[in-house]
Amino acid sequence: MQFSGRYILIFSTLLCFGCAIAVSTLAVMLEEKQEINRLLDKRTKVLEAAGLVEVGDKPTEEEVDAFFERI
C-alpha cells in the first residue's frame, strides 16, 4: 500500500501535535508533585548533613516533617 507524500506529512504533523499536547498536559499536572518531591529531597539532605538520618535512608514525608517541627 502506497501513501502519498501529503498523507505522510499530515499524519506525522498530527502525531507530533498530539504527542506535544500529551507531554505538556502531563508536565502541568505533575508540577505540584514535582515541587513537593523537590522540597522533600532538600529537607532529607539537610537531615543527612546534620546526622539525624542515615545517608541513603529514605524517610517518609511525615518523618521529615516531624524532624523539622522540632528544629
Side-chain angles (χ1 to χ4, degrees), residues 4-71:
S4 68
R6 182 177 176 185
Y7 173 82
I8 294 171
L9 183 62
I10 291 171
F11 178 79
S12 59
T13 302
L14 290 175
L15 183 64
C16 287
F17 279 133
C19 291
I21 289 170
V23 169
S24 297
T25 302
L26 287 172
V28 170
M29 289 173 53
L30 294 174
E31 186 174 3
E32 183 180 335
K33 185 156 180 73
Q34 288 175 338
E35 186 60 35
I36 291 169
N37 286 336
R38 191 174 296 120
L39 179 62
L40 179 63
D41 184 57
K42 191 178 205 179
R43 287 180 158 194
T44 302
K45 294 208 183 298
V46 169
L47 293 174
E48 286 176 357
L52 299 173
V53 174
E54 294 286 326
V55 176
D57 282 353
K58 297 294 179 190
T60 64
E61 187 175 352
E62 292 80 22
E63 293 171 339
V64 172
D65 287 341
F67 275 116
F68 272 88
E69 283 177 6
R70 288 186 273 163
I71 297 176

